[in-house]
């Protein structure tokens, strides 16, 4: 039973209550009456009437008539997933262990697979630790993993939801742990972004580092999609931690779509690092390409700091066409000496190719080193060697910063 299927039919049960189908006091049915009534209900061809009658009969299940009821259901080759959901919901209200064991032992594939998963799900909502114990007794590894999906989905709806993450952290790294983490996170997300953040912040310090990173990364990604500004404020407090690696890229990429200025300002406020500089460079360049007037106006109103250097580099390079002196003046505002010289050399090389006399006149009165002047006049001598690498920054893509891909 997939997570989506469980959710749909849990909602169907709630709808059944709302319609009043289960509101009346159910009659007491002996085993023989239960069998005969189920036989008639299962012969009903109208799916609405069939489901309604089965719902009423399942509400009347008791320890005395459940064996007779299950015998009828287990023998029906046309029993549906929907009907199994209703049966297991009613059965687990008074005997979850019996429901689990009976479905697990069934020779009918539908009942064995879907019924056991449904029993696990409803049991976990009420008593996740007991459901966990029985799931772990299943010897078939593949089937046990299948049941674990239903276990965690039910667990995430239980009063013990906060303990589910601890169990998930013990699972081997792989598809099941990823899916389980997504399930529990989705339930917290229903309560809003603050609930997700509080949950992640509350995780014990001794959790495996890789699992902590998985949880943090997934939470950052989902928050970035829905609440990028909240996500930015949150992960900004964790920048520099191993588990937060790459999350600035996730948030910046999403937030930039709706608020480029705020995104760049947030990035500039982060601790300076190669990754932070690359993000500023790439996203400011994207903004300049899409709305050059807005980007230029924003930069011109800033109180410049070393963190603005990547944006100034973009501005200088983009300003060259027809305005080499403007480009030079902008590049001279770059505060890092190595980056400033590298950008000035790149601009001057292009100027020298197009107007050698004018470029040479500027070179003569500039503060460029002799090595840099030679690089301008004789590009074949090789690039200027500095600690900065503006050519790399100009081609970095936020999707691959930190050597990671989404």
């Amino acid at each position: 039973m997939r997570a989506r299927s469980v959710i749909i039919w849990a909602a169907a049960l709630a709808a059944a209550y709302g319609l009043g189908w289960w509101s009346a006091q159910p009659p007491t049915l002996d085993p023989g009456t239960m069998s005969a009534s189920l036989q008639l209900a299962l012969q009903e061809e109208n799916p609405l009437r069939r489901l309604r009658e089965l719902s009423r009969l399942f509400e009347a299940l008791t320890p005395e008539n459940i064996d007779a009821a299950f015998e009828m259901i287990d023998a029906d080759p046309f029993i549906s997933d929907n009907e199994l959901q209703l049966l297991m919901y009613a059965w687990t209200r008074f005997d979850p262990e019996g429901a689990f064991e009976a479905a697990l032992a069934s020779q009918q594939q539908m009942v064995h697979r879907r019924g056991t998963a449904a029993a696990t799900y409803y049991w976990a909502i009420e008593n996740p630790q007991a459901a966990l114990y029985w799931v772990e007794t299943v010897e078939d590894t593949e089937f046990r993993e299948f049941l674990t999906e239903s276990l965690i989905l039910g667990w995430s709806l239980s009063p013990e939801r906060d303990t589910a993450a601890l169990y998930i952290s013990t699972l081997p790294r792989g598809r099941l742990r990823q899916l389980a983490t997504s399930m529990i996170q989705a339930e917290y997300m229903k309560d809003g972004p603050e609930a997700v953040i509080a949950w992640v912040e509350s995780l014990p310090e001794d959790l495996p580092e890789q699992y902590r990173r998985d949880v943090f990364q997934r939470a950052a990604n989902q928050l970035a999609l829905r609440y990028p500004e909240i996500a930015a404020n949150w992960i900004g407090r964790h920048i520099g931690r191993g588990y937060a690696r790459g999350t600035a890229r996730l948030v910046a990429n999403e937030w930039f779509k709706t608020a480029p200025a705020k995104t760049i300002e947030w990035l500039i406020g982060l601790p300076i690092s190669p990754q932070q500089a690359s993000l500023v460079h790439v996203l400011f360049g994207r903004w300049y390409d899409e709305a050059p007037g807005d980007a230029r106006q924003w930069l011109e109103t800033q109180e410049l700091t070393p963190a603005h250097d990547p944006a100034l580099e973009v501005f200088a390079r983009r300003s060259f066409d027809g305005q080499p002196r403007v480009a030079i003046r902008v590049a001279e505002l770059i505060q890092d000496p190595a980056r400033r010289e590298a950008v000035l050399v790149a601009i001057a090389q292009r100027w020298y190719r197009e107007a050698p006399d004018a470029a040479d006149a500027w070179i003569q009165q500039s503060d460029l080193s002799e090595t840099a002047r030679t690089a301008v006049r004789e590009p074949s001598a090789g690039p200027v060697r500095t600690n900065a690498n503006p050519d790399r920054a100009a081609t970095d893509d936020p999707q691959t910063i930190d050597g990671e891909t989404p």
Side-chain angles (χ1 to χ4, degrees):
M1 173 174 26
R2 309 311 299 173
R4 178 179 175 82
S5 176
V6 172
I7 293 171
I8 290 173
W9 287 106
L13 289 175
Y17 274 113
L19 290 172
W21 291 358
W22 292 23
S23 59
Q25 182 65 30
T28 300
L29 301 180
D30 60 60
T33 303
M34 174 62 75
S35 293
S37 300
L38 277 174
Q39 185 176 24
L40 289 174
L42 291 171
Q43 292 172 353
E44 174 60 61
E45 294 183 358
N46 183 308
L48 292 176
R49 285 200 292 267
R50 174 182 166 114
L51 193 59
R52 183 171 63 247
E53 292 305 313
L54 287 175
S55 296
R56 290 171 173 166
L57 289 171
F58 291 158
E59 188 181 15
L61 290 175
T62 65
E64 291 72 32
N65 63 29
I66 184 59
D67 289 341
F70 183 67
E71 183 177 348
M72 291 296 301
I73 296 297
D74 196 33
D76 186 344
F78 302 109
I79 196 72
S80 71
D81 191 16
N82 314 347
E83 293 156 357
L84 281 173
Q85 290 285 326
L86 292 172
L87 171 65
M88 291 303 164
Y89 176 83
W91 196 350
T92 55
R93 297 310 87 191
F94 63 88
D95 183 16
E97 182 180 329
F100 182 91
E101 287 187 306
L104 185 64
S106 174
Q107 297 302 305
Q108 185 185 159
Q109 180 66 10
M110 171 65 85
V111 176
H112 172 72
R113 189 170 179 83
R114 301 294 189 182
T116 310
T120 301
Y121 169 72
Y122 291 119
W123 195 0
I125 293 176
E126 299 298 323
N127 191 340
Q129 295 297 333
L132 168 63
Y133 172 82
W134 282 95
V135 166
E136 290 186 338
T137 65
V138 175
E139 295 181 358
D140 185 317
T141 302
E142 183 179 349
F143 190 52
R144 185 171 62 249
E145 288 190 358
F146 172 74
L147 294 179
T148 300
E149 296 179 22
S150 296
L151 168 74
I152 293 170
L153 186 58
W155 199 339
S156 69
L157 298 176
S158 79
E160 299 178 35
R161 180 174 67 177
D162 290 345
T163 64
L166 300 180
Y167 168 69
I168 295 169
S169 71
T170 68
L171 297 173
R173 188 182 181 192
R175 186 201 66 84
L176 178 59
R177 193 172 78 176
Q178 292 176 355
L179 178 62
T181 302
S182 296
M183 286 179 181
I184 189 72
Q185 181 183 301
E187 290 305 316
Y188 280 102
M189 187 65 81
K190 292 177 182 178
D191 296 332
E194 292 79 10
V196 175
I197 292 172
W199 166 58
V200 177
E201 298 278 6
S202 71
L203 294 175
E205 291 294 330
D206 58 354
L207 281 180
E209 182 64 22
Q210 184 58 56
Y211 178 64
R212 177 178 292 281
R213 185 181 180 198
D214 288 347
V215 171
F216 194 92
Q217 297 269 332
R218 287 177 179 277
N221 186 50
Q222 290 303 309
L223 289 171
L225 291 171
R226 296 175 174 85
Y227 313 98
E229 188 165 2
I230 292 175
N233 291 333
W234 176 49
I235 73 164
R237 303 196 300 267
H238 296 267
I239 292 296
R241 305 288 186 88
Y243 57 78
R245 184 183 177 202
T247 51
R249 164 181 51 80
L250 294 173
V251 173
N253 278 338
E254 291 302 323
W255 199 9
F256 179 84
K257 296 174 183 177
T258 56
K262 285 187 176 181
T263 305
I264 303 297
E265 288 169 1
W266 173 69
L267 289 170
I268 285 175
L270 297 179
I272 294 178
S273 68
Q275 293 74 35
Q276 178 261 7
S278 292
L279 276 168
V280 172
H281 193 290
V282 173
L283 291 181
F284 184 81
R286 190 179 300 170
W287 189 20
Y288 196 95
D289 290 341
E290 294 172 358
D294 292 343
R296 185 168 55 247
Q297 182 180 18
W298 174 85
L299 188 55
E300 289 173 347
T301 62
Q302 293 290 298
E303 184 176 342
L304 299 177
T305 69
H308 289 82
D309 284 356
L312 287 168
E313 178 185 339
V314 171
F315 191 7
R317 289 174 178 269
R318 300 291 203 281
S319 298
F320 179 87
D321 289 337
Q323 303 181 80
R325 295 185 186 279
V326 172
I328 291 291
R329 285 197 298 271
V330 173
E332 287 175 338
L333 296 174
I334 295 173
Q335 297 184 31
D336 178 72
R339 181 185 288 269
R340 180 173 61 246
E341 183 166 272
V343 175
L344 285 169
V345 167
I347 293 171
Q349 283 176 336
R350 183 176 173 186
W351 193 11
Y352 196 82
R353 288 194 300 270
E354 297 180 6
D357 291 340
D360 197 63
W362 174 80
I363 292 170
Q364 292 296 332
Q365 55 82 43
S366 73
D367 293 330
L368 291 180
S369 66
E370 286 303 318
T371 301
R373 294 183 184 198
T374 300
V376 172
R377 297 183 178 116
E378 302 175 28
S380 60
V384 179
R385 299 298 179 185
T386 71
N387 293 327
N389 191 343
D391 292 331
R392 164 68 185 277
T395 57
D396 267 345
D397 188 307
Q399 299 297 321
T400 57
I401 288 172
D402 286 347
E404 298 177 319
T405 54

